[in-house]
Amino acid sequence: MTKTIDVEIYGQRYVIRGEADDAYIRRLAHFVDDHMKRLAEGMKTATPSKLAVLTAINLAHQLFESEKRRAQGEADIERRMESLMESIEEQMPTSLFR
């Protein structure tokens, strides 16, 4: 069921339509709002639209870095698994493989 949720991000009200949980949408909006406010602290002047774009780029960077770490972790697990399998096979009597 589609519903509407009012949120505020960087002083602007937005109406979000969707099926997600209200608390989740509010949490996302708060997350974006916090990032925009932190970015604004380090800038002398910035329009809300400029802050929104810079926030989106920062969050995209964080997402890409997280994805890279996940992929590296999966590759590491795969290498470890292969190494363990080789060690197990080396320890097993050869007669089991005939």
Side-chain angles (χ1 to χ4, degrees), residues 40-59:
E41 288 174 2
M43 302 175 77
K44 292 181 182 178
T45 58
T47 63
S49 62
K50 184 177 181 179
L51 280 170
V53 169
L54 292 174
T55 298
I57 294 208
N58 274 343
L59 294 175

Side-chain angles (χ1 to χ4, degrees), residues 28-82:
L28 293 174
H30 183 70
F31 183 78
V32 171
D33 185 56
D34 282 349
H35 277 299
M36 287 183 72
K37 287 176 181 175
R38 275 190 264 136
L39 267 176
E41 288 174 2
M43 302 175 77
K44 292 181 182 178
T45 58
T47 63
S49 62
K50 184 177 181 179
L51 280 170
V53 169
L54 292 174
T55 298
I57 294 208
N58 274 343
L59 294 175
H61 171 68
Q62 290 176 14
L63 176 65
F64 283 21
E65 288 297 308
S66 178
E67 174 60 25
K68 185 169 86 175
R69 285 190 304 273
R70 185 198 57 77
Q72 287 171 341
E74 284 181 2
D76 186 45
I77 289 169
E78 184 69 28
R79 281 190 301 275
R80 288 179 183 187
M81 183 181 69
E82 287 174 9

Side-chain angles (χ1 to χ4, degrees), residues 77-90:
I77 289 169
E78 184 69 28
R79 281 190 301 275
R80 288 179 183 187
M81 183 181 69
E82 287 174 9
S83 177
L84 284 170
M85 291 299 292
E86 288 172 7
S87 293
I88 290 168
E89 288 172 0
E90 288 172 5

